[in-house]
Amino acid sequence: MNHFIELLNLQENAAVISLFGALLVIGVVIFLIISASKSEDKEEATRKVYKLRSRYLWGLSGILVILLIVSLGSTPYHRESQVADEVVSVVGYQWLWKMAPGAYDKSLAQFNGKDEITLPVDKTIEFIVTSNDVNHNFAIYNSKGYIVAETQAMPDYKNNLYYTFKEKGDYKVLCLEYCGLAHAFMEGTIHVK
Ligand code: CUA
């Protein structure tokens, strides 16, 4: 069961799943073109399309029910401990991240963070995340490029993200909410030691 869930790991298999979906759509389109080019009367063609559509609906519903049953065992998702060993303040700006140890509650314009920070392994970190301007999304990626934690960075609002780094290394911080021209270059680094 767990192995099957691993196979369904979307991050790892996104390309394969997309390819499969695209081939399915191409197949259906080719089928429709072939069946439409035959000299059938209109009624017969309509009947075929309706039949195909209902098969598609039931097929898709079946797949969704199976996915629901298979994935039900892994919910609710494991919650990180809510008792923090260390607190880090994070502020998103167009277009950079600033991070600093401790809770910060003064003017964001004067926030003295950096785009990199060093944090301990195996300690629960509470990230207090906000934004100085527009909505951003604070996302932490491990060295393999997998997302390990994320939360929205919103102006005038603080989101608390708890995460325990289990492995040492450099984690990349990226923005997951389109926030303007240089959105893709909003990078930060968390060194876990
Ligand atoms: Cu900040 Cu996209």
Side-chain angles (χ1 to χ4, degrees):
M1 201 73 147
N2 276 336
H3 183 65
F4 186 62
I5 291 169
E6 269 171 37
L7 277 179
L8 288 173
N9 184 329
L10 287 182
Q11 285 190 56
E12 205 165 342
N13 296 302
V16 179
I17 292 166
S18 307
L19 180 69
F20 182 75
L23 287 177
L24 194 72
V25 171
I26 291 169
V28 169
V29 169
I30 289 173
F31 172 81
L32 285 177
I33 290 171
I34 290 169
S35 36
S37 59
K38 281 180 197 158
S39 54
E40 283 172 322
D41 58 309
K42 208 179 161 201
E43 235 170 71
E44 176 64 11
T46 312
R47 201 186 60 78
K48 264 193 175 173
V49 167
Y50 273 89
K51 202 172 158 189
L52 185 73
R53 200 167 69 171
S54 95
R55 271 191 196 161
Y56 185 68
L57 172 71
W58 287 111
L60 214 57
S61 309
I63 290 171
L64 286 177
V65 169
I66 291 167
L67 285 179
L68 177 71
I69 293 167
V70 167
S71 59
L72 214 53
S74 49
T75 55
Y77 294 114
H78 168 71
R79 265 194 110 158
E80 291 285 335
S81 153
Q82 303 283 294
V83 183
D85 298 308
E86 285 200 23
V87 175
V88 173
S89 293
V90 179
V91 183
Y93 299 78
Q94 281 170 315
W95 291 276
L96 56 113
W97 290 109
K98 284 188 185 176
M99 299 175 276
Y104 182 84
D105 57 2
K106 299 177 195 81
S107 159
L108 291 184
Q110 277 142 44
F111 179 62
N112 225 349
K114 282 187 184 160
D115 64 353
E116 54 186 321
I117 195 165
T118 302
L119 295 173
V121 71
D122 284 329
K123 298 272 184 210
T124 302
I125 314 291
E126 178 187 2
F127 293 94
I128 303 173
V129 182
T130 187
S131 166
N132 184 57
D133 36 52
V134 300
N135 270 16
H136 302 275
N137 191 293
F138 177 73
I140 304 172
Y141 291 74
N142 68 14
S143 55
K144 289 178 194 148
Y146 294 175
I147 284 188
V148 294
E150 62 84 29
T151 192
Q152 199 76 5
M154 298 142 79
D156 300 322
Y157 192 85
K158 283 172 181 165
N159 273 315
N160 303 68
L161 175 68
Y162 292 84
Y163 188 69
T164 309
F165 294 94
K166 297 281 182 215
E167 282 172 38
K168 294 180 184 179
D170 285 350
Y171 291 70
K172 208 179 227 183
V173 173
L174 292 173
C175 182
L176 273 191
E177 178 78 46
Y178 183 70
C179 55
L181 263 189
H183 153 77
F185 303 103
M186 248 183 103
E187 278 190 27
T189 310
I190 299 171
H191 307 283
V192 176
K193 286 181 177 163

